[in-house]
Amino acid sequence: MKQILNYLALTILLLISSIYVHAHNLTDTTLRKELFFKLGAAIKVDLLKTSPAYRKLIAREFNSITAENAMKFISLHPAENTYRWENADYLVNFANQNNIRVHGHTLLWPSNNPAWIRNYQGDKEAWDNLLKSHIQTVVKHFKGKVASWDVVNEAYESNGSLKKNIWLQKLGKEYIEKSFQYAHEADPNVLLFYNDYGQEYSVAKREAILKMAKNLINKGIHIDGIGIQMHTALSIDNQKLINVINNMAKSGLKIHISELEVSLNSMSKAKLLDESLAKKQAEKYLVIFSSYSKIPRSQQYGITTWNVSDKDAFSNSANSSRSPLLFDKNYNPKPAYKTLLKSLSNR
Ligand code: GLA
């Protein structure tokens, strides 16, 4: 009997210590270390330059970064004969110093052009040269420093038709394939993505994107992956999020969840991040991360949240109670972060 009691006591002790060790490990580690894929964030260069706390958090928590704005056409090429590299170079240097991958965003956002593009006069050949020279100048500038590019951002309407914009008007629908072709010519090693929002709500849009990608491949034009932005919210049905990940993955291309936010509420309504909402947010994040973990590993390019903390979140500028990210306004990990760490830990 005494032996049995001793044995039981030992077993209980072992159990307690293994729970302790596991919990202890988890406080020592970070989510990025535990995931098989990259964890990314969109970065504000101004904050990177001025806030040591922001830099520290990024260097500790993320192994991929995307410039929120610094690599957009409007930022890099604000006038016909002017390129401004300073902010984007700053971000790239920070990434290199901290061993972080850089995802370039974006070579062409056809509905978001600088004023000089909107006023540009020229025939089809001139527009084609303009597209080629912008894309190739930018890709060559960052050659070897940027791992991948969103070549074209947001070209489709939710009904699957092409969005009307100046590039479509001047160059026809071929502007998409030309963009991929010019980018690949400038750096054959850089990975090329098509990036868009709303594929989770619209099957027509999703199919149009997959068809375009297939078309490029059939024509021998280089494309490596698809970016699913996923600016989503608690109110969105889980199944929609799971379906979009699985459906896009059927293409065989790399999948980047490229701008993830899980907002507490839609634009108009204010909500407070109380315990119950924080739990729901954690569950939604877990659904997304777990579904993503199940697609083939070679297709997992990573999950990037759109900004770092609720303090700098893009959505919070429209409504300060959307609280969509993994870190709170004081840069502390939220319940969503802790849930992911606990559930997806590989150790
Ligand atoms: C799109 C763009 C991003 C960013 C967001 C803001 O998703 O791709 O660069 O501007 O809009 O919502």
Side-chain angles (χ1 to χ4, degrees):
M1 182 66 181
K2 195 169 166 211
Q3 238 176 355
I4 293 176
L5 281 178
N6 278 346
Y7 177 74
L8 261 179
L10 189 68
T11 313
I12 289 169
L13 199 69
L14 278 175
L15 206 65
I16 291 172
S17 62
S18 91
I19 289 170
Y20 171 76
V21 166
H22 192 64
H24 183 72
N25 277 346
L26 287 184
T27 59
D28 277 354
T29 190
T30 56
L31 184 55
R32 84 170 208 186
K33 285 191 194 152
E34 299 296 327
L35 294 173
F36 284 114
F37 51 82
K38 299 269 187 197
L39 183 64
I43 303 297
K44 290 185 193 297
V45 177
D46 285 354
L47 270 180
L48 197 61
K49 286 180 176 172
T50 55
S51 165
Y54 187 72
R55 294 169 73 88
K56 201 168 149 202
L57 183 67
I58 296 162
R60 191 183 70 222
E61 298 290 346
F62 297 98
N63 46 17
S64 176
I65 57 178
T66 305
E68 183 184 26
N69 293 311
M71 291 188 184
K72 288 176 179 162
F73 201 133
I74 218 159
S75 309
L76 288 181
H77 195 176
E80 187 170 356
N81 298 312
T82 310
Y83 280 90
R84 291 220 177 98
W85 306 111
E86 198 257 326
N87 280 341
D89 284 349
Y90 187 93
L91 177 140
V92 168
N93 288 338
F94 170 83
N96 288 345
Q97 281 158 15
N98 291 285
N99 204 15
I100 296 175
R101 181 184 74 186
V102 181
H103 174 67
H105 172 82
T106 169
L107 296 172
L108 192 70
W109 186 0
S111 56
N112 190 273
N113 300 300
W116 72 270
I117 290 283
R118 296 198 296 273
N119 299 325
Y120 187 78
Q121 302 290 328
D123 59 10
K124 193 169 179 185
E125 199 186 338
W127 276 91
D128 196 357
N129 284 335
L130 192 63
L131 181 72
K132 181 172 182 179
S133 101
H134 172 77
I135 290 181
Q136 299 205 329
T137 305
V138 173
V139 171
K140 282 182 187 158
H141 179 86
F142 294 106
K143 199 168 181 168
K145 297 177 181 162
V146 162
S148 47
W149 279 101
D150 288 332
V151 178
V152 178
N153 190 39
E154 303 182 354
Y156 287 91
E157 298 284 2
S158 57
N159 65 8
S161 67
L162 279 171
K163 274 192 175 158
K164 294 199 173 39
N165 61 61
I166 205 158
W167 299 99
L168 180 68
Q169 190 192 327
K170 302 294 181 187
L171 293 175
K173 64 179 173 24
E174 286 73 31
Y175 85 88
I176 297 181
E177 61 194 61
K178 280 173 187 279
S179 301
F180 276 87
Q181 189 189 323
Y182 295 150
H184 185 63
E185 277 169 21
D187 181 357
N189 293 320
V190 79
L191 300 179
L192 303 180
F193 284 74
Y194 174 80
N195 192 51
D196 214 326
Y197 65 91
Q199 296 101 312
E200 58 273 43
Y201 313 118
S202 161
V203 174
K205 184 169 190 168
R206 189 191 295 167
E207 280 173 359
I209 293 168
L210 289 173
K211 192 165 155 205
M212 175 274 294
K214 209 165 164 196
N215 218 3
L216 294 193
I217 294 165
N218 288 341
K219 286 186 172 172
I221 295 171
H222 199 90
I223 179 168
D224 296 282
I226 294 175
I228 306 172
Q229 294 186 5
M230 212 177 270
H231 294 275
T232 193
L234 286 191
S235 53
I236 304 305
D237 183 22
N238 287 345
Q239 202 52 49
K240 283 200 163 75
L241 304 173
I242 298 169
N243 286 350
V244 72
I245 294 171
N246 291 336
N247 272 299
M248 290 312 221
K250 283 199 191 125
S251 65
L253 292 165
K254 292 187 190 305
I255 302 297
H256 183 200
I257 297 187
S258 55
E259 307 189 11
L260 180 61
E261 297 184 280
V262 179
S263 291
L264 298 188
N265 47 299
S266 61
M267 280 292 182
S268 53
K269 295 179 220 144
K271 279 189 180 165
L272 271 186
L273 182 63
D274 59 15
E275 211 177 306
S276 119
L277 282 176
K279 190 161 168 260
K280 285 193 183 138
Q281 186 177 48
E283 284 161 8
K284 188 75 79 187
Y285 262 105
L286 187 56
V287 166
I288 297 166
F289 273 65
S290 324
S291 315
Y292 187 77
S293 309
K294 290 184 197 129
I295 68 171
R297 213 163 275 172
S298 60
Q299 288 179 259
Q300 295 173 3
Y301 196 61
I303 297 187
T304 295
T305 58
W306 202 246
N307 299 110
V308 174
S309 79
D310 287 345
K311 190 172 172 186
D312 46 273
F314 161 80
S315 281
N316 265 4
S317 55
N319 176 340
S320 68
S321 66
R322 302 186 87 201
S323 307
L325 297 174
L326 294 172
F327 295 90
D328 69 17
K329 291 183 177 161
N330 300 314
Y331 293 165
N332 291 319
K334 287 163 62 182
Y337 179 98
K338 293 176 190 161
T339 300
L340 291 176
L341 185 58
K342 208 161 67 189
S343 313
L344 301 175
S345 172
N346 295 312
R347 291 181 184 180

